[in-house]
Amino acid sequence: MDLPNLFSNTKDLDARMCICSIISETTVQCLLLRVTAAGTKIVHKSTILVYADPDSLVVRMDEALQELGKESENINEVVFSLDAAWLHEGDLVASKKPLLHKVCTDLSLRPLGFIIQSEALVQHSVNRNAHFSAIFMVIAAHEVTINIVS
């Protein structure tokens, strides 16, 4: 499954609604997003649900999608927000591709691409304040990512 990194694409997105699925090694959460030229707004978000294997990920993600409400029922486009450990040289590691393919197939989702969680945090903060400085730590199951923004 070919999933582009959305931050590497410079074209402006049209105003639309999509789902963002935040997936770690053990948890999943879904967001309903309204994306416009002015920015992205979270319309609804689900609770964070724990999963243990690919089948339980599909079940938990379906539960998370149902929590997004009626406004999300006809939306099947999804952006994945992933840990940096899921990627190697800008692409999904081979072991994670079948997992995301199963999620998309079983839940009839159309993948738009992915974002890296740590990159998303940094870009969001810098976009809000160009003079922003901070140290970001993203702690995952097997990895810690540190970004220094100055």
Side-chain angles (χ1 to χ4, degrees):
M1 174 181 357
D2 185 31
L3 285 176
N5 183 342
L6 293 183
F7 285 141
S8 67
N9 190 349
T10 57
K11 71 178 184 177
D12 194 22
L13 296 173
D14 294 333
R16 65 176 173 201
M17 301 282 280
C18 70
I19 295 165
C20 177
S21 178
I22 304 167
I23 302 176
S24 74
E25 292 293 330
T26 57
T27 63
V28 63
Q29 180 180 30
C30 290
L31 311 172
L32 179 60
L33 304 176
R34 179 174 288 113
V35 182
T36 65
T40 302
K41 180 181 179 193
I42 298 173
V43 179
H44 296 288
K45 65 181 177 179
S46 74
T47 56
I48 298 171
L49 302 170
V50 176
Y51 72 93
D53 55 43
D55 290 326
S56 66
L57 171 59
V58 171
V59 171
R60 294 296 186 231
M61 188 157 162
D62 187 36
E63 292 171 4
L65 290 170
Q66 290 176 28
E67 289 183 27
L68 297 180
K70 275 200 158 313
E71 202 171 359
S72 69
E73 288 179 358
N74 295 322
I75 298 170
N76 69 343
E77 294 180 323
V78 63
V79 172
F80 292 102
S81 177
L82 306 172
D83 289 335
W86 286 42
L87 305 161
H88 178 71
E89 295 181 3
D91 195 17
L92 284 171
V93 294
S95 63
K96 299 301 182 187
K97 288 182 181 184
L99 179 66
L100 293 184
H101 180 73
K102 178 175 181 51
V103 166
C104 290
T105 303
D106 290 2
L107 297 175
S108 301
L109 296 172
R110 189 174 138 252
L112 296 175
F114 68 86
I115 57 175
I116 302 167
Q117 291 170 2
S118 56
E119 258 186 62
L121 286 170
V122 170
Q123 286 201 12
H124 172 74
S125 300
V126 171
N127 286 341
R128 294 184 75 196
N129 179 355
H131 303 291
F132 185 80
S133 293
I135 298 173
F136 284 98
M137 291 181 60
V138 178
I139 302 170
H142 305 287
E143 178 177 286
V144 174
T145 303
I146 298 173
N147 291 309
I148 300 172
V149 181
S150 174

